[in-house]
Amino acid sequence: MAILELGVLASGTGSNLQAILDAIAAGTLDAQVRIVVSNVREAPALQRAAKAGIATAVIPHAQFPNRSEFDAAIAQALDLAGAKWVVLAGFMRVLTPEFLKKFQRRVINIHPALLPAFPGVHAQKQAFEHGVKLAGCTVHFVDEGVDSGPIIAQCAVPVLDDDSADSLAKRILEQEHLLFVDVLRWLAADRIRWVEGLSGERPKIAIVPA
Ligand code: GRF
């Protein structure tokens, strides 16, 4: 089977990127990161990529007149690098329908909440302030909405009585690193299937047993 050729988009710290790079280096994930693209020049994710010998591109969104042109520049960088799958690892921009059409069913995102609860920014804090007893994280395919695409996998993280928003976010992040790499392993093994809704309802995602 062809190796999973990933393009990672990241705007920040890049700890999820690091988890992916570590799994590849350890030989437990059959994938290649072909390029890491960031819209933020100072993003530590870029340094992590460079340290691992991976190509990087900085594409600052403010330099483009609109989202379509920004996304076209990202798509071009991904194409040139040979990335077939797009992994959003803390990428803080919403992708356009044109971009998603080009990489149809090939864009995945990680979100630090049990979707569909608490989409958008500061999800862990939203969940904590709401008083949920179970928080967590979700890996999903990306559609045109915000954190609204078909769910691939989720991991629940209990909220402890002495948690703060920060301590909860930290424990969620530990699970994100594991869940993201697990999902990429399923992709690499061609175990992820779209199950179309019979009468127009949302497609669902099934994982083929190993
Ligand atoms: C993670 O919490 C991820 O779920 C969210 O952004 C954060 C990125 O963290 N989308 P990092 O840059 O991977 O450390």
Side-chain angles (χ1 to χ4, degrees):
M1 197 184 307
I3 194 162
L4 198 62
E5 293 161 317
L6 307 175
V8 178
L9 308 189
S11 303
T13 312
S15 70
N16 278 288
L17 166 68
Q18 192 67 57
I20 295 166
L21 295 175
D22 290 349
I24 293 171
T28 61
L29 171 60
D30 205 9
Q32 277 177 356
V33 176
R34 305 297 298 240
I35 189 166
V36 174
V37 180
S38 184
N39 57 319
V40 178
R41 194 173 298 282
E42 314 74 40
L46 291 169
Q47 290 154 25
R48 294 179 189 267
K51 199 170 166 203
I54 288 162
T56 60
V58 181
I59 304 182
H61 55 275
Q63 285 179 9
F64 292 84
N66 52 50
R67 287 172 56 210
S68 292
E69 290 185 36
F70 170 61
D71 282 10
I74 295 176
Q76 190 182 29
L78 293 169
D79 277 345
L80 284 173
K84 300 288 185 307
W85 291 86
V86 184
V87 175
L88 308 187
F91 184 63
M92 302 306 283
R93 311 295 302 175
V94 176
L95 294 164
T96 52
E98 298 101 286
F99 182 97
L100 294 172
K101 196 165 173 214
K102 176 174 166 48
F103 289 98
Q104 204 169 24
R105 297 188 169 185
R106 285 174 171 264
V107 185
I108 67 172
N109 180 45
I110 185 144
H111 181 73
L114 292 176
L115 293 170
F118 311 115
V121 293
H122 308 308
Q124 309 95 320
K125 190 158 177 273
Q126 289 183 53
F128 180 77
E129 285 176 357
H130 192 91
V132 301
K133 299 297 181 191
L134 265 188
C137 50
T138 303
V139 178
H140 63 95
F141 282 105
V142 175
D143 68 7
E144 291 166 19
V146 175
D147 302 319
S148 56
I151 291 171
I152 305 171
Q154 295 186 297
C155 178
V157 175
V159 181
L160 307 179
D161 287 340
D162 60 354
D163 259 333
S164 62
D166 283 348
S167 65
L168 177 62
K170 194 161 167 260
R171 289 207 319 289
I172 293 172
L173 190 60
E174 288 168 8
Q175 296 307 315
E176 289 185 41
H177 298 160
L178 302 175
L179 189 71
F180 219 179
V181 171
D182 274 347
V183 168
L184 292 172
R185 287 191 185 111
W186 301 340
L187 263 189
D190 191 25
R191 291 179 53 202
I192 298 186
R193 296 284 178 277
W194 286 65
V195 182
E196 302 301 332
L198 285 182
S199 43
E201 68 266 28
R202 284 169 66 87
K204 293 192 174 62
I205 304 300
I207 311 303
V208 178

